[in-house]
Amino acid sequence: MPLARSLSVTSLSGLEEWDEEFELEDAVLFEIAWEVANKVGGIYTVIQTKARLTAEEWGENYFLVGPYVESNVRTQVELIEPTNPVLKRTIDKMNSSGCKVYFGRWLIEGSPYVVLIDVGFTAWSLDRWKSELWDLGAIGVPWFDREANDAVLFGFLTAWLLGEFAAQSEEPPHIVAHFHEWLAGLGLVLCRKRQLPVATIFTTHATLLGRYLCAGSVDFYNNLSKFNVDKEAGDRQIYHRYCLERAAAHCAHVFTTVSQITAIEAEHLLKRKPDIVTPNGLNVKKFSAMHEFQNLHAQSKSRIQEFVRGHFYGHLDFNLDKCLFLFIAGRYEFSNKGADIFLEALARLNYLLRVNHSDVTVITFFIMPARTNNFNVETLKGQAVRKQLWDTAHTVKERFGKKLYESLLVGQLPDVAKMLDKEDFTIMKRAIFATQRQSQPPICTHNMLDDSSDPILNSVRRIGLFNSSADRVKIIFHPEFLSSTSPLLPMDYEEFVRGCHLGVFPSYYEPWGYTPAECTVMGIPSISTNLSGFGCFMEEHIADPSAYGIYILDRRYKGVDESCNQLTSFLFQFCKQSRRQRIIQRNRTERLSDLLDWRYLGRYYIAARHMALAKAFPDTFIYEPHEPSSATGFRYPRPASVPPSPSLSRHSSPHHSEAEEDEDERYDEDLEAEKDRVNIRQPYTNDTSILQFTSGIPHKLCSCV
């Protein structure tokens, strides 16, 4: 679903349409990934959101290739006959040779063509192909690694598809094949080994070894150059997977990764420096007015408040209007995702809020799927009690309204003392007694299967944040992805994010980071780190990220305790902001949406494809890279008006009224946006690369970012 943003805030004024000047009529693009129409992780989001832009560029010559999973095909794919005659002959030939290959349209934005290969149907060839892989590169795949076995089948079938397509073409085609991650990488290696006429690109979204090493609590980034990669992969029993990934990286014409931090990681672990960094984007749908996304925030916040009223029934001794909603979401990787440091920072924040007698209450949601067997009974009871109270209030209101109406009909002012009778008071007293609660509000909304060994719950026990009345920081652990059909918190993820005030993602290992990017597009401030691709990208493009609601935590050059103190400081400063300052900050955060739009970030993928074409077909395409004279991309300046941070905008007097604050801190969103439009440093305009098409036609140039 496209995420929405405002039309009235600034757009990147230098962002012109990509000038595609070289001929694509005889070129064909195959994009190959295990997550095509098959949601497993973040790569699915990358391919799904990028499909519309790529389909617009390549038209009928763009095909996504993935595995055939029947349950997904039923709901996501419309199976049709191939429209391309060469591809139709290719699929018919493979199906007649013992394969099962399907063709259709993926029912997402852009409706791209998909070629889906049933890897299970050709499992009879697994041993033969494993033997061929051993003869080819001495890579042995153990029988018990089902995922690696699927990678072998998928790789050989993909190479077969590309080779057959080249053979069925009447004229030598210009094929570009873009492979994502190690699961698809073997097909690339086979294309190069068989010398197929294919320009190959390999993108790693996170290195296998990097993810395993970080999960083992090692000092990863300070020891990148010291790891014995073969030994480390062998010790973790992933050496065969690592070999497939490394072979694909080295065989590709163009090797890319999603962020600068992952590029450094890949250079040390895969022993090849990426040719280009291709950051991940989002589809950004625009609103007709700026205030609409603020209205959506208010609506979604109201729904979260309703859940909180039920969850904390009997202990609702805090002001919901002075309540801030924070959240962390993603895979349940306790240390990699930074949940460990976040919990410690929350304990320190709780202390600061209490000693400073703050009237702010922070409710923090942990949205991380874990093993559960059902909803927590106490949590469900809370929502039932809340609904009962609402029904009671509605009943009394109806009775009161009827008496008021009848009194006014006869021309008399009502006697307020007689408007509520004993029955009304009895109903209300019973409702109040029903809200009494002997236990504390639960931390976890579900019954955990491994309650005693769960890292989040064990950390909560250690830091002592049990949702007591004295605590200014409350914790709600929701160990399941959000759904609009849930009986507990009936909201989808996008709606939930819009209702929160701050997303906190202090990850130690995060090659890109879609969660803070989604927050930005929805105008929600976030905390990320300089070890995440998103954090590095924002530091490169924004002069003062925190003024735009992008807080970058230093986890690369600081120790754990220092990083935890910095995170606590970020959270405490955020809690001290006034409502007006938070609104200003959300406006600024949302203004960064253009940076994350595929229509800007898609250019890096275009440049990678141009580079691959030039390397694979040097007689047809010429690629001449030039070093840019300045930093690439847009550069946001400091905001033109006063920053929203209370530490920077505090008056000289320690005591000042809200009226004084409004008078001294004048703010005009449209004026500030206009100044940003003028001050944003545009991408350099000189050609960074030139691609010439020389196949019997005049040379045509193409500038690439």
Side-chain angles (χ1 to χ4, degrees), residues 114 143 164 169 185 234 329 370 386 393 434 446 451 459 469 521 531 545 598 607 646 684:
V114 288
W143 63 270
E164 192 64 44
S169 299
R386 177 193 61 79
H446 292 61
D451 182 286
S459 292
S469 297
V521 171
L531 291 180
W598 272 122
Y684 56 89

Side-chain angles (χ1 to χ4, degrees), residues 534-692:
F534 174 84
C536 294
F537 180 82
M538 285 305 190
E539 279 188 319
E540 179 186 350
H541 284 76
I542 308 172
D544 184 8
S546 61
Y548 284 91
I550 308 294
Y551 299 91
I552 310 296
L553 181 67
D554 186 355
R555 294 205 65 181
R556 187 171 186 184
Y557 302 108
K558 290 185 177 181
V560 174
D561 191 59
E562 286 181 289
S563 297
C564 190
N565 283 335
Q566 186 185 19
L567 177 56
T568 306
S569 176
F570 284 160
L571 296 174
F572 188 54
Q573 291 298 323
F574 188 83
C575 290
K576 290 198 292 184
Q577 289 183 5
S578 67
R579 180 175 179 274
R580 179 173 174 276
Q581 288 170 328
R582 292 198 301 271
I583 291 173
I584 292 172
Q585 192 174 62
R586 282 199 295 273
N587 286 337
R588 292 176 179 167
T589 302
E590 198 271 349
R591 206 182 303 154
L592 301 176
S593 298
D594 282 314
L595 277 177
L596 302 170
D597 197 332
W598 272 122
R599 64 193 178 94
Y600 173 46
L601 297 180
R603 299 179 174 192
Y604 296 96
Y605 277 88
I606 293 173
R609 291 192 285 266
H610 292 178
M611 191 185 300
L613 279 168
K615 288 186 177 182
F617 308 107
D619 295 335
T620 306
F621 299 98
I622 301 173
Y623 181 85
E624 298 177 1
H626 293 279
E627 289 297 325
S629 57
S630 61
T632 63
F634 291 88
R635 179 77 170 176
Y636 276 70
R638 287 177 179 273
S641 62
V642 63
S645 170
S647 62
L648 297 176
S649 61
R650 188 178 295 122
H651 294 249
S652 57
S653 169
H655 303 287
H656 59 279
S657 68
E658 289 295 320
E660 289 176 334
E661 179 180 81
D662 290 344
E663 179 182 352
D664 290 351
E665 295 186 8
R666 295 184 179 88
Y667 172 76
D668 186 318
E669 163 63 19
D670 291 331
L671 178 61
E672 181 174 288
E674 180 60 34
K675 288 181 178 179
D676 269 4
R677 269 194 288 271
V678 174
N679 293 328
I680 290 172
R681 188 189 303 164
Q682 314 259 324
Y684 56 89
T685 55
N686 60 303
D687 289 349
T688 61
S689 62
I690 299 175
L691 188 70
Q692 299 179 345

Side-chain angles (χ1 to χ4, degrees), residues 13-167:
S13 51
L15 190 58
E16 300 173 358
E17 292 298 319
W18 182 264
D19 188 14
E20 186 60 75
E21 294 188 9
F22 78 106
E23 298 292 336
L24 283 175
E25 292 180 1
D26 68 336
V28 180
L29 172 62
F30 290 91
E31 194 158 4
I32 302 145
W34 188 256
E35 296 197 33
V36 169
N38 178 38
K39 186 170 186 178
V40 178
I43 301 170
Y44 176 91
T45 305
V46 177
I47 295 169
Q48 181 197 43
T49 56
K50 185 171 62 66
R52 178 176 60 84
L53 184 78
T54 313
E56 289 174 0
E57 179 194 355
W58 289 80
E60 297 288 306
N61 292 339
Y62 174 49
F63 305 100
L64 287 159
V65 181
Y68 177 84
V69 181
E70 187 172 353
S71 58
N72 295 332
V73 171
R74 285 192 193 133
T75 57
Q76 299 184 43
V77 178
E78 177 191 6
L79 296 177
I80 59 174
E81 283 295 313
T83 54
N84 184 302
V86 178
L87 187 59
K88 186 179 187 323
R89 293 196 296 270
T90 300
I91 292 175
D92 290 344
K93 180 68 180 294
M94 290 183 69
N95 286 338
S96 64
S97 302
C99 300
K100 265 195 177 180
V101 184
Y102 301 84
F103 184 85
R105 280 194 181 275
W106 192 2
L107 301 179
I108 59 173
E109 196 172 1
S111 300
Y113 291 126
V114 288
V115 178
L116 302 176
I117 304 173
D118 190 342
V119 295
F121 192 77
T122 51
W124 52 272
S125 299
L126 181 60
D127 289 338
R128 175 168 59 88
W129 285 342
K130 277 188 179 181
S131 177
E132 186 177 338
L133 178 60
W134 175 260
D135 295 337
L136 174 68
I139 299 175
V141 177
W143 63 270
F144 54 82
D145 191 341
R146 181 174 179 177
E147 199 171 18
N149 288 335
D150 286 342
V152 171
L153 292 168
F154 189 56
F156 272 88
L157 288 166
T158 300
W160 186 352
L161 175 75
L162 295 172
E164 192 64 44
F165 184 88

Side-chain angles (χ1 to χ4, degrees), residues 145-439:
D145 191 341
R146 181 174 179 177
E147 199 171 18
N149 288 335
D150 286 342
V152 171
L153 292 168
F154 189 56
F156 272 88
L157 288 166
T158 300
W160 186 352
L161 175 75
L162 295 172
E164 192 64 44
F165 184 88
Q168 294 289 340
S169 299
E170 297 174 357
E171 297 181 1
H174 296 113
I175 302 173
V176 182
H178 191 156
F179 298 82
H180 292 268
E181 283 294 291
W182 72 275
L183 278 164
L186 180 57
L188 186 153
V189 177
L190 293 171
C191 285
R192 296 305 306 279
K193 180 64 178 178
R194 297 172 182 177
Q195 298 182 345
L196 300 179
V198 178
T200 57
I201 305 169
F202 180 67
T203 296
T204 179
H205 297 258
T207 67
L208 267 171
L209 190 54
R211 194 176 292 281
Y212 273 83
L213 287 169
C214 285
S217 301
V218 301
D219 187 4
F220 180 65
Y221 291 99
N222 290 321
N223 292 285
L224 269 175
S225 60
K226 302 174 185 175
F227 288 120
N228 181 338
V229 292
D230 294 312
K231 179 180 183 302
E232 296 289 352
D235 289 346
R236 288 158 178 79
Q237 299 184 15
I238 58 165
Y239 188 66
H240 54 290
R241 298 186 180 193
Y242 169 74
C243 289
L244 291 174
E245 181 182 39
R246 184 167 169 177
H250 282 267
C251 289
H253 290 103
V254 174
F255 175 42
T256 82
T257 190
V258 296
S259 64
Q260 292 291 349
I261 193 73
T262 315
I264 297 170
E265 173 189 339
E267 185 175 0
H268 286 93
L269 300 186
L270 298 180
K271 306 303 180 183
R272 178 177 176 181
K273 182 178 180 179
D275 298 289
I276 189 170
V277 172
T278 52
N280 293 332
L282 290 163
N283 285 334
V284 179
K285 175 188 172 185
K286 299 187 178 183
F287 282 133
S288 59
M290 180 267 293
H291 60 81
E292 288 189 35
F293 88 93
Q294 294 282 11
N295 292 342
L296 282 175
H297 167 73
Q299 294 167 13
S300 298
K301 182 178 72 172
S302 176
R303 297 192 63 183
I304 297 175
Q305 286 176 334
E306 282 301 297
F307 167 79
V308 169
R309 287 186 177 101
H311 191 81
F312 289 92
Y313 83 92
H315 295 271
L316 203 63
D317 49 5
F318 50 87
N319 186 351
L320 275 174
D321 290 332
K322 290 185 176 291
C323 197
L324 298 179
F325 300 135
L326 279 56
F327 80 98
I328 181 173
R331 287 189 303 273
Y332 196 174
E333 297 177 8
F334 184 65
S335 297
N336 280 359
K337 295 299 181 183
D340 52 353
I341 192 174
F342 186 26
L343 282 163
E344 180 62 35
L346 287 174
R348 300 181 187 186
L349 174 66
N350 184 57
Y351 171 78
L352 289 175
L353 292 175
R354 290 176 64 178
V355 299
N356 285 277
H357 304 291
S358 174
D359 59 355
V360 171
T361 301
V362 174
I363 297 182
T364 305
F365 292 86
F366 286 76
I367 312 295
M368 292 180 159
R371 297 175 63 215
T372 65
N373 59 16
N374 213 330
F375 292 108
N376 186 312
V377 173
E378 189 65 22
T379 306
L380 288 172
K381 180 183 176 182
Q383 300 307 312
V385 169
R386 177 193 61 79
K387 188 176 185 303
Q388 182 186 17
L389 281 173
W390 174 261
D391 292 342
T392 300
H394 188 72
T395 300
V396 174
K397 182 185 74 171
E398 289 291 324
R399 292 161 65 97
F400 184 97
K402 184 177 180 181
K403 292 176 183 178
L404 176 62
Y405 172 67
E406 290 174 348
S407 178
L408 294 176
L409 274 178
V410 298
Q412 295 179 354
L413 288 175
D415 184 353
V416 177
K418 297 180 179 179
M419 296 301 290
L420 294 175
D421 55 27
K422 288 185 178 180
E423 184 179 354
D424 294 326
F425 280 103
T426 301
I427 293 174
M428 289 188 289
K429 285 179 181 179
R430 290 178 60 184
I432 292 173
F433 289 161
T435 64
Q436 293 180 357
R437 190 182 211 171
Q438 302 303 318
S439 61

